[in-house]
Amino acid sequence: MYSLTEVTENPETFRNAVLNARPFRPLYAKIKVIYGCNLKCEMCNHWRESRGLAMKTEKFKEIISDLAELGCRKVHFTGGEPMLRGDIPELTAHAHGLGIRVCMTSNGTLIDKVKAKALVEAGLRGINISIDSPIRKIHEKIRGIEGSWKLTTRAVEYFRKYARKGKIGIRINTVVSRENFDSLETLPDVAHRLGADGINLIPVDDHCGEHLSLRKKDIAFFNESIAPKIAARALELGLIVSEEDAFPFGQDAAEVRLARAGRYALGYYKSHPCYAPWTHTLIDHRGLVYVCCMTRDQIPPLGDLKTSTFKEVWESRAYQRIRLQMHPPALPMCQRCDDFIDENKKIWEAIGPY
């Protein structure tokens, strides 16, 4: 989630930007600081291939400064595995010093006590740690590296004391696949014991051909026997906001049919826009700019920050074309994405239909 205060306090300004395909502000920037990873997750390509060298520290700092000038309020570092770089505390401190909230997604295996302290002291305010099952053997089978469970869970525990002091939020990310869906009943208890204050169930995107997508019978079992227990316990522990957070494949028959086809937006974008082109940007490790993760391998990059400033890209014709295409129905690949639905619903309520 990212703050929508600037949208809700200026609904007419935002509405006019949408109607005229003009830029608003990059309130939330996801920066993929590296492509490689030290694990071998079944559902991921980052360890299977290489996509060139990442930019240097100073270039990333320059980009973050540009984002701040345009009104960016949140930066999320991801990869690959961000902690393969040694400069994440430095990049965090730079963004934090510019008034930007800094979060990161990590598998946690490279974070020890010293690094956890350094990250929090630098200004990291949110950490998403990937745990794919409360059962060690299942988690390690999915992650592809024996011993990764111990390293990952320790990382959560290292951040726990800072979470108790209110300095950082800890969320467990769990990709729900055919390998683990029936093992997740106790996930809320494990997350709570480790010190997390939230869980996020992510439906698998089976683009690696590993046959990880849930079948009809799998979703039926998950929705009938697993998700209700996750929902009850996670709500009790304050790890989710609503019951539907425990049902990543939807709850009624129509939603389940869409989820089985990988359309995890569950039909929302047939009649609603995605406002990401006005509030969000994705910058990869080479400086290539996209609207979001879902468009990265589907459309050409909107610009290259090695040869352009972010402002030039944000105000470019390429970004404008994407904004024009986002009016209902949204882009085809948006039908597979559930990342920004909560934000988009709030914006829709704030600015009204058009």
Short mmCIF file of all heavy atoms in Angstrom, two decimals, residues 262-291:
data_model
loop_
_atom_site.label_atom_id
_atom_site.label_comp_id
_atom_site.label_asym_id
_atom_site.label_seq_id
_atom_site.Cartn_x
_atom_site.Cartn_y
_atom_site.Cartn_z
N GLY A 262 -5.62 -17.37 -14.12
CA GLY A 262 -4.54 -16.44 -13.83
C GLY A 262 -4.96 -14.99 -13.87
O GLY A 262 -4.11 -14.09 -13.86
N ARG A 263 -6.27 -14.71 -13.91
CA ARG A 263 -6.77 -13.34 -13.97
C ARG A 263 -7.10 -12.88 -12.55
O ARG A 263 -8.25 -12.78 -12.13
CB ARG A 263 -7.99 -13.27 -14.89
CG ARG A 263 -7.66 -13.70 -16.32
CD ARG A 263 -8.91 -13.94 -17.16
NE ARG A 263 -9.60 -12.69 -17.48
CZ ARG A 263 -9.32 -11.92 -18.52
NH1 ARG A 263 -8.33 -12.26 -19.35
NH2 ARG A 263 -10.00 -10.83 -18.75
N TYR A 264 -6.03 -12.56 -11.81
CA TYR A 264 -6.16 -12.34 -10.37
C TYR A 264 -6.77 -10.99 -10.00
O TYR A 264 -7.03 -10.73 -8.82
CB TYR A 264 -4.80 -12.51 -9.69
CG TYR A 264 -4.24 -13.90 -9.82
CD1 TYR A 264 -2.96 -14.13 -10.33
CD2 TYR A 264 -5.01 -15.01 -9.45
CE1 TYR A 264 -2.45 -15.41 -10.46
CE2 TYR A 264 -4.50 -16.29 -9.58
CZ TYR A 264 -3.23 -16.49 -10.08
OH TYR A 264 -2.74 -17.76 -10.20
N ALA A 265 -7.00 -10.13 -10.97
CA ALA A 265 -7.75 -8.90 -10.70
C ALA A 265 -9.23 -9.22 -10.53
O ALA A 265 -10.02 -8.34 -10.14
CB ALA A 265 -7.55 -7.89 -11.82
N LEU A 266 -9.62 -10.44 -10.84
CA LEU A 266 -10.98 -10.95 -10.63
C LEU A 266 -12.04 -10.09 -11.32
O LEU A 266 -13.13 -9.88 -10.80
CB LEU A 266 -11.27 -11.08 -9.12
CG LEU A 266 -10.27 -11.93 -8.33
CD1 LEU A 266 -10.66 -11.98 -6.86
CD2 LEU A 266 -10.14 -13.32 -8.91
N GLY A 267 -11.67 -9.60 -12.50
CA GLY A 267 -12.63 -8.86 -13.32
C GLY A 267 -12.72 -7.38 -13.06
O GLY A 267 -13.46 -6.67 -13.76
N TYR A 268 -11.97 -6.87 -12.08
CA TYR A 268 -12.12 -5.47 -11.69
C TYR A 268 -11.81 -4.51 -12.85
O TYR A 268 -12.50 -3.51 -13.03
CB TYR A 268 -11.19 -5.16 -10.51
CG TYR A 268 -11.31 -3.73 -10.02
CD1 TYR A 268 -12.38 -3.32 -9.24
CD2 TYR A 268 -10.35 -2.77 -10.37
CE1 TYR A 268 -12.51 -2.01 -8.80
CE2 TYR A 268 -10.46 -1.46 -9.94
CZ TYR A 268 -11.54 -1.09 -9.15
OH TYR A 268 -11.66 0.21 -8.73
N TYR A 269 -10.80 -4.83 -13.64
CA TYR A 269 -10.35 -3.88 -14.66
C TYR A 269 -11.15 -3.94 -15.97
O TYR A 269 -10.83 -3.24 -16.92
CB TYR A 269 -8.86 -4.07 -14.94
CG TYR A 269 -8.01 -3.69 -13.74
CD1 TYR A 269 -7.16 -4.62 -13.15
CD2 TYR A 269 -8.08 -2.41 -13.20
CE1 TYR A 269 -6.40 -4.27 -12.04
CE2 TYR A 269 -7.33 -2.06 -12.10
CZ TYR A 269 -6.49 -2.99 -11.52
OH TYR A 269 -5.74 -2.65 -10.43
N LYS A 270 -12.18 -4.77 -15.99
CA LYS A 270 -13.07 -4.74 -17.15
C LYS A 270 -13.84 -3.41 -17.21
O LYS A 270 -14.17 -2.93 -18.29
CB LYS A 270 -14.06 -5.90 -17.09
CG LYS A 270 -13.44 -7.26 -17.35
CD LYS A 270 -14.49 -8.36 -17.30
CE LYS A 270 -13.89 -9.74 -17.57
NZ LYS A 270 -14.91 -10.80 -17.51
N SER A 271 -14.10 -2.86 -16.04
CA SER A 271 -14.91 -1.63 -15.99
C SER A 271 -14.25 -0.51 -15.19
O SER A 271 -14.88 0.51 -14.94
CB SER A 271 -16.28 -1.95 -15.39
OG SER A 271 -16.15 -2.54 -14.10
N HIS A 272 -13.00 -0.71 -14.79
CA HIS A 272 -12.29 0.31 -14.03
C HIS A 272 -10.87 0.48 -14.58
O HIS A 272 -10.28 -0.47 -15.08
CB HIS A 272 -12.19 -0.07 -12.55
CG HIS A 272 -13.51 -0.19 -11.86
ND1 HIS A 272 -14.26 -1.36 -11.90
CD2 HIS A 272 -14.22 0.70 -11.12
CE1 HIS A 272 -15.37 -1.18 -11.21
NE2 HIS A 272 -15.37 0.05 -10.74
N PRO A 273 -10.32 1.67 -14.45
CA PRO A 273 -8.93 1.88 -14.87
C PRO A 273 -7.95 1.46 -13.77
O PRO A 273 -8.35 1.28 -12.61
CB PRO A 273 -8.86 3.39 -15.09
CG PRO A 273 -9.82 3.93 -14.07
CD PRO A 273 -10.94 2.93 -13.98
N CYS A 274 -6.69 1.31 -14.15
CA CYS A 274 -5.62 1.24 -13.16
C CYS A 274 -4.94 2.60 -13.19
O CYS A 274 -4.55 3.09 -14.25
CB CYS A 274 -4.62 0.14 -13.49
SG CYS A 274 -3.22 0.11 -12.35
N TYR A 275 -4.78 3.20 -12.03
CA TYR A 275 -4.21 4.54 -11.95
C TYR A 275 -2.70 4.53 -11.76
O TYR A 275 -2.10 5.58 -11.52
CB TYR A 275 -4.87 5.31 -10.80
CG TYR A 275 -6.35 5.52 -10.99
CD1 TYR A 275 -7.27 4.82 -10.22
CD2 TYR A 275 -6.84 6.41 -11.93
CE1 TYR A 275 -8.63 5.00 -10.38
CE2 TYR A 275 -8.21 6.60 -12.11
CZ TYR A 275 -9.09 5.89 -11.33
OH TYR A 275 -10.44 6.07 -11.51
N ALA A 276 -2.08 3.35 -11.86
CA ALA A 276 -0.63 3.26 -11.67
C ALA A 276 0.16 4.23 -12.57
O ALA A 276 1.15 4.81 -12.11
CB ALA A 276 -0.15 1.83 -11.88
N PRO A 277 -0.23 4.45 -13.84
CA PRO A 277 0.58 5.36 -14.67
C PRO A 277 0.60 6.81 -14.17
O PRO A 277 1.41 7.60 -14.64
CB PRO A 277 -0.10 5.27 -16.04
CG PRO A 277 -0.78 3.95 -16.05
CD PRO A 277 -1.26 3.77 -14.64
N TRP A 278 -0.30 7.14 -13.25
CA TRP A 278 -0.32 8.49 -12.69
C TRP A 278 0.35 8.56 -11.32
O TRP A 278 0.69 9.65 -10.85
CB TRP A 278 -1.76 8.98 -12.55
CG TRP A 278 -2.41 9.31 -13.85
CD1 TRP A 278 -2.41 10.52 -14.49
CD2 TRP A 278 -3.14 8.41 -14.69
NE1 TRP A 278 -3.10 10.43 -15.68
CE2 TRP A 278 -3.57 9.15 -15.83
CE3 TRP A 278 -3.49 7.07 -14.61
CZ2 TRP A 278 -4.33 8.58 -16.86
CZ3 TRP A 278 -4.24 6.50 -15.63
CH2 TRP A 278 -4.64 7.25 -16.74
N THR A 279 0.56 7.42 -10.66
CA THR A 279 1.05 7.44 -9.28
C THR A 279 2.24 6.52 -9.02
O THR A 279 2.81 6.56 -7.94
CB THR A 279 -0.08 7.02 -8.31
OG1 THR A 279 -0.44 5.65 -8.57
CG2 THR A 279 -1.30 7.91 -8.44
N HIS A 280 2.62 5.72 -9.99
CA HIS A 280 3.60 4.66 -9.73
C HIS A 280 4.59 4.55 -10.88
O HIS A 280 4.28 4.88 -12.02
CB HIS A 280 2.86 3.32 -9.57
CG HIS A 280 3.77 2.15 -9.32
ND1 HIS A 280 4.26 1.35 -10.34
CD2 HIS A 280 4.27 1.64 -8.18
CE1 HIS A 280 5.02 0.40 -9.82
NE2 HIS A 280 5.05 0.55 -8.52
N THR A 281 5.79 4.08 -10.53
CA THR A 281 6.77 3.77 -11.57
C THR A 281 7.62 2.59 -11.12
O THR A 281 7.79 2.36 -9.92
CB THR A 281 7.66 4.98 -11.89
OG1 THR A 281 8.37 4.76 -13.10
CG2 THR A 281 8.65 5.26 -10.76
N LEU A 282 8.13 1.86 -12.10
CA LEU A 282 9.08 0.78 -11.85
C LEU A 282 10.37 1.10 -12.58
O LEU A 282 10.37 1.37 -13.78
CB LEU A 282 8.51 -0.56 -12.36
CG LEU A 282 9.52 -1.72 -12.38
CD1 LEU A 282 9.86 -2.16 -10.97
CD2 LEU A 282 8.99 -2.90 -13.19
N ILE A 283 11.47 1.06 -11.84
CA ILE A 283 12.79 1.31 -12.41
C ILE A 283 13.63 0.06 -12.21
O ILE A 283 13.79 -0.40 -11.07
CB ILE A 283 13.47 2.52 -11.73
CG1 ILE A 283 12.61 3.78 -11.93
CG2 ILE A 283 14.88 2.72 -12.27
CD1 ILE A 283 12.99 4.93 -11.03
N ASP A 284 14.13 -0.51 -13.30
CA ASP A 284 14.89 -1.75 -13.13
C ASP A 284 16.36 -1.46 -12.89
O ASP A 284 16.80 -0.30 -12.88
CB ASP A 284 14.64 -2.72 -14.30
CG ASP A 284 15.48 -2.46 -15.54
OD1 ASP A 284 16.25 -1.47 -15.57
OD2 ASP A 284 15.38 -3.25 -16.50
N HIS A 285 17.13 -2.51 -12.71
CA HIS A 285 18.53 -2.39 -12.30
C HIS A 285 19.41 -1.70 -13.34
O HIS A 285 20.47 -1.18 -13.03
CB HIS A 285 19.10 -3.77 -11.98
CG HIS A 285 19.12 -4.71 -13.16
ND1 HIS A 285 17.97 -5.19 -13.75
CD2 HIS A 285 20.16 -5.22 -13.88
CE1 HIS A 285 18.29 -5.98 -14.75
NE2 HIS A 285 19.61 -6.02 -14.85
N ARG A 286 18.93 -1.65 -14.58
CA ARG A 286 19.69 -1.02 -15.66
C ARG A 286 19.24 0.42 -15.92
O ARG A 286 19.78 1.08 -16.80
CB ARG A 286 19.53 -1.84 -16.94
CG ARG A 286 20.04 -3.26 -16.85
CD ARG A 286 19.51 -4.12 -17.97
NE ARG A 286 18.05 -4.25 -17.90
CZ ARG A 286 17.33 -4.98 -18.73
NH1 ARG A 286 17.92 -5.64 -19.71
NH2 ARG A 286 16.02 -5.05 -18.60
N GLY A 287 18.21 0.86 -15.19
CA GLY A 287 17.69 2.21 -15.40
C GLY A 287 16.54 2.28 -16.37
O GLY A 287 16.09 3.39 -16.71
N LEU A 288 16.04 1.16 -16.83
CA LEU A 288 14.88 1.14 -17.72
C LEU A 288 13.62 1.37 -16.90
O LEU A 288 13.48 0.83 -15.80
CB LEU A 288 14.79 -0.18 -18.48
CG LEU A 288 16.01 -0.51 -19.37
CD1 LEU A 288 15.82 -1.85 -20.06
CD2 LEU A 288 16.25 0.59 -20.39
N VAL A 289 12.71 2.18 -17.44
CA VAL A 289 11.51 2.59 -16.71
C VAL A 289 10.27 1.93 -17.31
O VAL A 289 10.09 1.91 -18.54
CB VAL A 289 11.34 4.13 -16.76
CG1 VAL A 289 10.08 4.56 -16.00
CG2 VAL A 289 12.57 4.82 -16.19
N TYR A 290 9.42 1.40 -16.42
CA TYR A 290 8.16 0.78 -16.81
C TYR A 290 7.07 1.31 -15.88
O TYR A 290 7.36 1.91 -14.84
CB TYR A 290 8.22 -0.74 -16.69
CG TYR A 290 9.31 -1.38 -17.51
CD1 TYR A 290 10.61 -1.50 -17.01
CD2 TYR A 290 9.05 -1.87 -18.79
CE1 TYR A 290 11.61 -2.09 -17.76
CE2 TYR A 290 10.06 -2.46 -19.54
CZ TYR A 290 11.33 -2.57 -19.03
OH TYR A 290 12.33 -3.15 -19.77
N VAL A 291 5.83 1.07 -16.24
CA VAL A 291 4.73 1.45 -15.34
C VAL A 291 4.76 0.60 -14.09
O VAL A 291 4.63 1.09 -12.97
CB VAL A 291 3.36 1.29 -16.05
CG1 VAL A 291 2.23 1.54 -15.05
CG2 VAL A 291 3.25 2.25 -17.21
#
